Amino acid sequence: MSSATPTTGSAAQAQRLTERPAWKALEDHYATMRNLHLRQLFADDPHRGERLTAEAAGIYLDYSKQRITGETIRLLMRLADECGLRERIAAMFHGERINVTEKRAVLHTALRAPETAQIVVDGVDVVPAVHALLNRMAAFSLQVRSGEWQGYTGKRIRNIINIGIGGSDLGPVMAYEALRYYSRRDMIFRFVSNVDGTDFEEATRDIDPEETLFIICSKTFTTLETLTNAHAARAWSLRKLGDDRAVRRHFVAVSANAEGVSRFGIDTENMFGFWDWVGGRYSMDSAIGLSTMIAIGPENFRAMLAGFHAMDQHFRNAPFAQNLPVLMGMLTVWNNNFFDAQTVAVLPYERYLKRFPAYLQQLTMESNGKHVTLDGTCVAYQTGPIYWGEPGTNGQHSFYQLIHQGTKLVPCDFIGFCQTLNPIDSQHDLLMSNLFAQAEALAFGKTGDEVEAEGTPGWLAPHRVFEGNRPSNTLLVKRLTPRTLGLLVALYEHSVFTQGTIWDIDSFDQWGVELGKALAQRVAPELEGMDEPPLKHDSSTNALIRHYRHLKNGPL
Ligand code: F6P
């Protein structure tokens, strides 16, 4: 039920986080935990590796290699209760306006609700509209996949270019790469996001406009990068197709701004809409996923939505101590706020998930990179950590050195699949043995005694010591499918929400992107033309602009 007035957080939030009894208890508890080694914790409890695990909807989470005890979990769950997480989850699922600064409901969960569900926003059940849109997307996808939707000159569409940025790009490109195994191999899918002309040029240089369909994705249809690339796309198409009427067959839009779409010249009949209660970084299973649906087909797309929904149900209903997103979110709070870990490394041992860390960067950091609470007070504690990562095993030959022996604590999320999609001899076992070994090495390390016992000379021994005690989660899934991808993404979405609730911040706005955008608009005209413009920036920005203009306008 949507409320007419913005929700400014539950009564529970009136108390500051660091004054909460559970927070204070966690501070005391941390003092007893900070020097405890995982070696000791495992030695004390032979069943720890089975006990500190949870499983839901086909995702197995092992969090036994976190620097915790049962007491830590008990206190973290108490903190979640004190912060009103249960009520906040209910408020989100009921369509309350929990995005307080934009006065919006946050209902990405409605995008994957079954037809039988009822979710009311401003007195209207949104579920029928969600399914009507999905059906339209499905019909269009089938037309393109079958060749029934032809280009202006009658040729079959073979190339799909998604133009969008942020949430209108990262979800689609991640999902396409993740589900490439299930995709149409006789079609090309590319993603243009950057205002850097190279992005567009490289995406189009070897394809034929007569066989190319552009999907212009922009919730607002005002985003500079997307509109610039959309104009470049139209010019590129019309150079060959020659006739404005061709736009109808080669351009569709996904947007909440029908006026902007038609001003650009795309017939609103070729527009797939969505709603202001879907945030950009939470939109990959809205019409923003049109390229995904064309790639993998409507049935697979619906299977992905079913995975999202299964995790939604789990998050909404499971007790906190067995609730995967709650556990992962609260463990992040533990590492971030007590162990002072500044980052989280996401390490999928699955090549198809190569864009998953990049996707998570927007999801986590645009959501929780905030410095004030819901009521505008400056926080007195750390909020969202930096998320980063690369697929294994490549990262092992790059940055793992720092994770193992550096001076920073980097909690890791390892993600692995038990069945590979591409079996070649025993390569998958090799891949997975690396995942298990890395988590083991991080947790237990190698002591000075062990190094010496190997006959390492004394001068070299310190270099070969691994102190261990470096925390990680391991997520194991049977197989990468559309459904399990949906489960995984929803798991992180709700973990982000859990963290944001504890920090009492608005995880659904993104004011931090505005200032740079506005300044760029001021700078852009100062870079044009041959006459030196008067510059009124700081001395550094002024000098950089002059240097740029000098070289730009000089000889090659
Ligand atoms: O970077 C800010 C942002 O608003 C993101 O939140 C969003 O995903 C992206 O820009 C793209 O916005 P739009 O879909 O409106 O073009």
Side-chain angles (χ1 to χ4, degrees), residues 165-168 218-220 223 226 280-281 362 366 510 513 517:
I165 198 163
S168 300
S218 176
K219 180 177 170 181
T220 55
T223 305
T226 302
R281 54 194 176 274
Q362 186 198 17
E366 203 170 75
Q510 56 282 317
V513 304
K517 270 193 211 171

Side-chain angles (χ1 to χ4, degrees), residues 15 49 183 201 205 301 309 422-423 433 465 507 553:
Q15 188 173 28
S183 73
E201 177 58 30
R205 65 195 306 276
F301 193 85
H309 180 65
N422 295 303
S433 61
V465 167
S507 297
N553 297 325

Side-chain angles (χ1 to χ4, degrees), residues 430-465:
L430 259 182
L431 174 73
M432 291 302 289
S433 61
N434 273 277
L435 182 160
F436 298 133
Q438 290 297 330
E440 190 177 14
L442 286 169
F444 303 107
K446 198 177 198 181
T447 63
D449 289 349
E450 286 167 341
V451 172
E452 271 174 37
E454 286 174 345
T456 308
W459 65 268
L460 188 57
H463 299 276
R464 303 196 63 169
V465 167

Side-chain angles (χ1 to χ4, degrees), residues 168-463:
S168 300
D169 166 69
L170 289 162
V173 71
M174 180 278 289
Y176 171 67
E177 291 297 344
L179 300 176
R180 191 185 263 254
Y181 177 85
Y182 302 90
S183 73
R184 279 289 291 260
R185 300 296 191 150
D186 59 347
M187 292 178 77
I188 287 175
F189 292 84
R190 290 186 183 154
F191 301 84
V192 174
S193 53
N194 204 319
V195 74
D196 182 341
T198 301
D199 209 7
F200 182 81
E201 177 58 30
E202 288 295 336
T204 51
R205 65 195 306 276
D206 56 350
I207 57 173
D208 181 355
E210 291 178 78
E211 301 178 338
T212 302
L213 176 77
F214 289 95
I215 306 178
I216 314 296
C217 283
S218 176
K219 180 177 170 181
T220 55
F221 226 78
T222 56
T223 305
L224 172 93
E225 291 89 337
T226 302
L227 291 190
T228 307
N229 279 318
H231 281 287
R234 191 167 56 188
W236 177 84
S237 296
L238 295 185
R239 261 198 302 278
K240 171 118 190 234
L241 299 169
D243 186 339
D244 258 352
R245 282 174 301 177
V247 170
R248 276 206 98 238
R249 305 304 297 173
H250 294 271
F251 284 77
V252 298
V254 179
S255 183
N257 174 3
E259 212 184 306
V261 167
S262 87
R263 205 175 317 122
F264 175 82
I266 297 178
D267 191 335
T268 44
E269 258 185 38
N270 288 347
M271 173 182 143
F272 298 84
F274 65 111
W275 305 272
D276 75 351
W277 40 262
V278 182
R281 54 194 176 274
Y282 296 87
S283 68
M284 64 173 271
D285 39 23
S286 71
I288 292 289
L290 185 60
S291 60
T292 316
M293 198 192 259
I294 297 173
I296 64 173
E299 234 176 85
N300 278 323
F301 193 85
R302 287 185 197 275
M304 182 181 81
L305 297 187
F308 272 96
H309 180 65
M311 187 53 69
D312 292 344
Q313 292 298 94
H314 168 72
F315 180 52
R316 197 173 181 181
N317 300 319
F320 283 172
Q322 279 111 53
N323 193 311
L324 265 54
V326 173
L327 282 165
M328 284 186 64
M330 296 309 293
L331 288 166
T332 304
V333 169
W334 175 241
N335 288 327
N336 182 69
N337 294 94
F338 294 90
F339 281 97
D340 205 18
Q342 303 287 312
T343 81
V344 177
V346 180
L347 309 167
Y349 278 62
E350 169 55 71
R351 193 68 198 157
Y352 284 128
L353 289 188
K354 67 180 183 191
R355 296 288 291 170
F356 194 57
Y359 170 78
L360 285 187
Q361 287 188 321
Q362 186 198 17
L363 179 68
T364 60
M365 297 201 271
E366 203 170 75
S367 297
N368 285 342
K370 310 286 161 69
H371 75 298
V372 292
T373 59
L374 288 171
D375 67 6
T377 311
C378 272
V379 294
Y381 42 82
Q382 289 288 312
T383 60
I386 298 157
Y387 276 75
W388 59 288
E390 274 288 318
T393 57
N394 292 31
Q396 292 175 202
H397 299 272
S398 157
F399 53 79
Y400 277 41
Q401 165 66 42
L402 183 149
I403 303 182
H404 281 288
Q405 288 189 316
T407 53
K408 293 180 171 58
L409 190 73
V410 182
C412 300
D413 287 352
F414 290 97
I415 302 172
F417 295 86
C418 303
Q419 297 178 359
T420 179
L421 296 171
N422 295 303
I424 303 180
D425 296 331
S426 56
Q427 280 190 220
H428 191 64
D429 287 344
L430 259 182
L431 174 73
M432 291 302 289
S433 61
N434 273 277
L435 182 160
F436 298 133
Q438 290 297 330
E440 190 177 14
L442 286 169
F444 303 107
K446 198 177 198 181
T447 63
D449 289 349
E450 286 167 341
V451 172
E452 271 174 37
E454 286 174 345
T456 308
W459 65 268
L460 188 57
H463 299 276

